[in-house]
Amino acid sequence: MESPTGVAATPRALPYYVAFSQLLGLTAVATTGAWLGLYRGGIAWEGALQFNVHPLCMVIGLIFLQGDALLVYRVFRNETKRTTKVLHGLLHVFAFIIALVGLVAVFDYHRKKGYADLYSLHSWCGILTFVLYFVQGQVQ
């Protein structure tokens, strides 16, 4: 849907949807952080709290930042295509790196404790999700 000037028209409700999605994403990050801080003892890279890095990184990377990366083309529709592509790519790269930190944290924690890796449906679904996320980024 183009306006007479050739610039794509922005749906009227879009800013409200974007604001709601940001509020929802930040709420998910804050809730995860509060849960880890109040009920799981916090986060740390060393010791028993290292495992807690995993859920926080996954929520930040694969929910919040990935969601923002997907919204870039809708929110910045009047910017140049190059600008939106760079921002879209950077958000995906940051999401990938943060999710990778979460994976490293859980594997390192399991190695230090002598636990088996990939022993549950959750872990296999998580690895599949991460691999598919990486592969789809390579295909684009």
Side-chain angles (χ1 to χ4, degrees), residues 22-80:
Q22 293 303 297
L23 183 63
L24 215 56
L26 289 171
T27 300
V29 171
T31 302
T32 304
W35 169 64
L36 292 171
L38 296 173
Y39 299 105
R40 304 272 309 189
I43 62 171
W45 192 258
E46 295 295 327
L49 299 177
Q50 182 177 1
F51 183 83
N52 293 350
V53 173
H54 172 73
L56 187 61
C57 285
M58 292 301 152
V59 169
I60 292 171
L62 294 180
I63 294 177
F64 186 68
L65 289 177
Q66 182 182 9
D68 281 354
L70 297 174
L71 285 173
V72 163
Y73 287 108
R74 293 283 179 204
V75 172
F76 300 109
R77 59 178 49 214
N78 295 326
E79 298 297 323
T80 64

Side-chain angles (χ1 to χ4, degrees), residues 2-3 7 9 12 27 29 31 54 56 76 81-82 87 94-96 98 106 109 114 118 127:
E2 298 242 344
S3 67
V7 176
R12 275 189 226 165
T27 300
V29 171
T31 302
H54 172 73
L56 187 61
F76 300 109
K81 185 162 179 125
R82 178 180 166 94
L87 182 57
F94 289 146
F96 177 79
I98 290 172
V106 77
Y109 175 80
L118 303 173
I127 290 295

